Amino acid sequence: MGGDLAPLEAVKGVRQYLAQSPEAHLLLLGDEAQVAPLLAEHDLPAGAYTFVHTPQVIDMHEHPTKALREKQRSSIAVGFHLLATDKIDAFISAGNTGAMLVGSLYSLKPLEGILRPTISTIIPKENGGTGLLLDVGLNSDCKPEQLNQFARMGSIYAETILGIENPRAALLNIGEEESKGNLLAQAAYPLLKSNPALNFTGNVEGRDILLNRADVMVCDGFTGNIILKLCESLFGITQQKGIDHDYFQRFNFENYGGTPVLGISKPVIIGHGISREHAFHNMILLAQKMIYTGVMQQMSI
């Protein structure tokens, strides 16, 4: 029920996914009065899903913690309960981002040894490759030890899900030299450099983000979120100006579905509020891949 275009685009995304994966079984959460007619209209195969009526909706403007506490019959609250009690294997929503993050942190405990979960975003490289940037908004203020763990989790995700062999990890900084940066960057560098689980290649600067300098780039969530929103604007500008280029098309968030929360026990994928059917389809595909590969369990320390 979450998102600006819900529930229609979510239903269309489910239909698109089931057309390619007839063996799958999905559990759909929503207001039956709104969703049931759409399921019938789009002719979803009855045996391919189970529907759970959740009459409450957490709106985008609501305070996430308060809303989760007061709206126990919302799709997000029920979804996290089902995930925490092993009734489902992964949870996807394009609803209230704050509620999804709060639910991830408090309904599912961090993996053993993980100080703080994180969220990442795909970075399209100019050479056709793919990079990963994290954190992009979950942890605005970070400690050096957290950046060290983000790099490790990001490297596992890049290798297992993105198919990047021995991914190069780097610290986003204001210069290439080891001594550059603020206190966080200066303290994080030696931790990353001495981590045997990383293929650490040093610092990268802002101009390197879209180039083939590193596969996994770590920073605090404040910096990462600004970069994420800047990258989103690139796609919007090219659309407004009628620029049709394969590279800029790769900045369309719908190609990647949503953002996974890394460092928790089960896959939780957060979609953009304006997600359409293609994004929902790709979110389900990502969840499926995360389940089958067991990528989350590999991140325990």
Side-chain angles (χ1 to χ4, degrees):
M1 299 305 297
D4 299 342
L5 307 172
L8 173 61
E9 293 299 321
V11 170
K12 290 162 65 177
V14 168
R15 179 189 61 182
Q16 190 178 121
Y17 169 77
L18 290 175
Q20 297 181 10
S21 305
E23 77 287 352
H25 189 90
L26 301 181
L27 193 145
L28 310 180
L29 308 164
D31 181 0
E32 188 171 17
Q34 296 185 55
V35 178
L38 295 174
L39 296 176
E41 177 186 345
H42 290 85
D43 197 27
L44 267 67
Y49 67 89
T50 298
F51 185 78
V52 176
H53 175 53
T54 54
Q56 294 178 308
V57 176
I58 296 178
D59 294 325
M60 290 297 190
H61 67 277
E62 292 190 71
H63 187 280
T65 305
K66 184 171 182 278
L68 277 173
R69 185 174 59 248
E70 295 179 353
K71 292 187 172 181
Q72 291 291 304
R73 299 182 67 195
S74 64
S75 54
I76 291 180
V78 173
F80 276 113
H81 173 72
L82 293 170
L83 190 62
T85 54
D86 298 324
K87 301 296 193 303
I88 56 178
D89 300 301
F91 183 43
I92 297 163
S93 176
N96 185 301
T97 300
M100 289 294 291
L101 292 173
V102 169
S104 299
L105 295 175
Y106 294 104
S107 298
L108 303 170
K109 294 182 179 179
L111 292 168
E112 184 175 355
I114 298 299
L115 298 171
R116 286 280 296 179
T118 182
I119 55 176
S120 63
T121 191
I122 296 293
I123 297 293
K125 298 291 187 176
E126 55 83 28
N127 69 339
T130 298
L132 193 72
L133 177 70
L134 66 167
D135 185 285
V136 292
L138 181 53
N139 304 284
S140 296
D141 297 300
C142 293
K143 298 179 180 179
E145 296 80 7
Q146 292 169 342
L147 293 188
N148 190 30
Q149 290 193 350
F150 294 168
R152 179 183 170 276
M153 288 191 286
S155 295
I156 291 171
Y157 185 86
E159 188 157 17
T160 306
I161 302 299
L162 303 180
I164 303 173
E165 186 176 353
N166 194 24
R168 300 161 297 169
L171 175 66
L172 187 61
N173 208 332
I174 59 171
E176 295 183 0
E177 297 83 2
E178 185 172 343
S179 60
K180 285 292 183 73
N182 56 16
L183 292 176
L184 173 62
Q186 291 179 26
Y189 191 101
L191 294 179
L192 294 162
K193 185 178 180 179
S194 62
N195 189 338
L198 296 177
N199 178 16
F200 182 60
T201 58
N203 289 328
V204 291
E205 301 179 74
R207 63 187 176 189
D208 302 318
I209 292 172
L210 303 179
L211 304 180
N212 189 31
R213 291 290 308 278
D215 303 302
V216 176
M217 297 162 285
V218 294
C219 61
D220 63 86
F222 183 89
T223 303
N225 190 264
I226 290 173
I227 295 170
L228 168 62
K229 299 299 172 58
L230 175 62
C231 288
E232 287 183 353
S233 73
L234 288 176
F235 177 70
I237 290 171
T238 58
Q239 294 296 292
Q240 292 172 12
K241 295 188 177 297
I243 300 172
D244 186 14
H245 193 282
D246 290 344
Y247 176 64
F248 290 112
Q249 288 295 324
R250 296 181 62 214
F251 283 88
N252 183 355
F253 73 91
E254 298 219 346
N255 294 330
Y256 312 106
T259 298
V261 182
L262 304 182
I264 56 178
S265 57
K266 295 182 180 180
V268 172
I269 299 173
I270 304 172
H272 202 297
I274 57 172
S275 293
R276 296 185 181 273
E277 64 177 292
H278 188 52
F280 280 103
H281 176 213
N282 285 329
M283 276 192 275
I284 304 171
L285 287 175
L286 176 57
Q288 174 181 292
K289 190 170 186 178
M290 293 178 72
I291 292 167
Y292 288 165
T293 59
V295 64
M296 306 301 278
Q297 286 67 38
Q298 297 178 43
M299 296 181 186
S300 295
I301 295 178

